Amino acid sequence: MTKADLVERICAKTDTVNKKQAEAVVNSLFECIIDALEDGDKVELRGFGSFKTRERGPREGRNPKTGDKVSVPSKRVPYFKPGKELRERVDLS
């Protein structure tokens, strides 16, 4: 599902929100989550999951073309942990 598909589904589920308003809501939601992660905050959406950042330590990688060792610096990466309700609804077994 793309962001445009998400906007379409929001419009289809609600009669009071038009496409432009739904797009603004989706963009605002993503911006708020991104801003919080940039600030080092955790975003928790009960029943859905939580977004946070993890620190990846420095490591040695390899250049795939030459095979030479390359030093990869440490960095923060986004991480999503699904909530219990989401895991239960997705589990089809």
Side-chain angles (χ1 to χ4, degrees):
M1 176 186 293
T2 64
K3 187 162 64 168
D5 294 336
L6 183 60
V7 169
E8 289 294 328
R9 286 195 183 188
I10 290 171
C11 290
K13 285 192 177 240
T14 61
D15 294 330
T16 58
V17 177
N18 64 35
K19 190 174 182 178
K20 198 168 199 166
Q21 292 170 327
E23 187 173 7
V25 168
V26 170
N27 287 335
S28 295
L29 175 68
F30 290 156
E31 274 302 312
C32 289
I33 292 172
I34 291 168
D35 289 345
L37 293 175
E38 283 179 337
D39 294 341
D41 296 334
K42 177 180 176 183
V43 178
E44 187 173 327
L45 305 171
R46 298 269 184 212
F48 183 72
S50 60
F51 297 89
K52 60 183 178 178
T53 57
R54 285 189 171 173
E55 186 73 27
R56 271 205 190 148
R59 61 185 176 87
E60 277 201 10
R62 291 203 178 266
N63 182 330
K65 268 190 176 177
T66 63
D68 294 341
K69 288 185 180 182
V70 178
S71 177
V72 180
S74 65
K75 60 183 174 180
R76 284 189 336 170
V77 294
Y79 174 75
F80 174 73
K81 181 179 178 185
K84 181 180 177 185
E85 187 178 326
L86 177 62
R87 284 193 313 269
E88 289 173 352
R89 289 187 62 182
V90 171
D91 185 19
L92 302 175
S93 58

